[in-house]
């Protein structure tokens, strides 16, 4: 079980909640509406289940699109650019945080030790994020 002690990020929320507009799944943090509403009432174990579900989904989608060539370069780059990420989760979630942070622009992934797989090399990082979001977000 993950301890809240080491987690610098207390919630997956990024402040762009779409559940208030009727989405069953938030387009910002990818939590279900009931998870957003009840988050502050959840135990550490319940929160951990949500974190792990998000981690699995992100890893599954992104591992097909990118390869982390240098995890230390990724970690350092994220810290340097003050990208909000949870170090205790799978590094693919770190890449997701990087893509999300630069979703409105583009970022050079190799500068962060990340390389796009051949089938996705034609996409700018912003488009890669949009493609990832399309796969992660499950409208209901």
């Amino acid at each position: 079980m993950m301890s809240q002690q080491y987690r610098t990020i207390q919630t997956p929320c990024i402040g762009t909640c779409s559940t208030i507009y009727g989405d069953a799944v938030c387009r910002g943090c990818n939590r279900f509406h009931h998870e957003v509403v009840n988050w502050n009432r959840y135990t550490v174990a319940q929160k951990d289940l949500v974190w792990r579900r998000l981690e699995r989904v992100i890893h599954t989608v992104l591992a097909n699109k990118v390869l982390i060539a240098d995890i230390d370069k990724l970690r350092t780059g994220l810290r340097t650019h003050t990208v909000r990420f949870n170090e205790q989760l799978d590094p693919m979630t770190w890449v997701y945080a990087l893509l999300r942070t630069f979703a409105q622009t583009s970022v050079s992934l190799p500068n962060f030790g990340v390389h796009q797989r051949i089938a996705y090399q034609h996409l700018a990082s912003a488009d890669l994020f949009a493609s990832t979001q399309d796969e992660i977000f499950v409208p209901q």
Side-chain angles (χ1 to χ4, degrees):
M1 182 184 320
M2 296 171 60
S3 162
Q4 289 291 94
Q5 250 181 351
Y6 65 77
R7 187 179 283 145
T8 56
I9 299 174
Q10 299 298 317
T11 175
C13 180
I14 62 166
T16 58
C17 191
S18 69
T19 61
I20 61 173
Y21 301 111
D23 286 342
V25 178
C26 178
R27 293 176 188 260
C29 69
N30 301 309
R31 287 180 294 167
F32 292 102
H33 178 267
H34 68 275
E35 293 170 339
V36 172
V37 171
N38 295 312
W39 187 260
N40 289 329
R41 289 184 221 124
Y42 280 1
T43 65
V44 171
Q46 289 170 312
K47 289 177 181 180
D48 188 50
L49 288 173
V50 174
W51 280 108
R52 292 301 174 185
R53 178 181 52 77
L54 296 172
E55 177 182 48
R56 281 189 308 275
V57 170
I58 290 168
H59 179 89
T60 299
V61 173
L62 265 182
N64 293 322
K65 299 174 189 268
V66 300
L67 173 68
I68 299 171
D70 188 337
I71 196 166
D72 292 326
K73 192 173 186 180
L74 175 59
R75 181 185 292 113
T76 301
L78 293 171
R79 288 178 178 164
T80 300
H81 289 83
T82 60
V83 173
R84 185 178 179 265
F85 73 107
N86 187 329
E87 285 194 58
Q88 301 306 310
L89 296 180
D90 184 293
M92 280 296 168
T93 67
W94 306 0
V95 176
Y96 180 77
L98 173 65
L99 292 171
R100 181 180 60 213
T101 299
F102 292 97
Q104 302 303 314
T105 61
S106 275
V107 64
S108 174
L109 294 178
N111 289 343
F112 289 83
V114 177
H115 300 283
Q116 290 167 241
R117 295 194 184 272
I118 293 171
Y120 296 93
Q121 287 178 346
H122 67 284
L123 293 178
S125 63
D127 296 328
L128 182 64
F129 178 70
S131 169
T132 301
Q133 275 298 87
D134 288 345
E135 289 185 53
I136 291 175
F137 180 72
V138 182
Q140 295 184 9

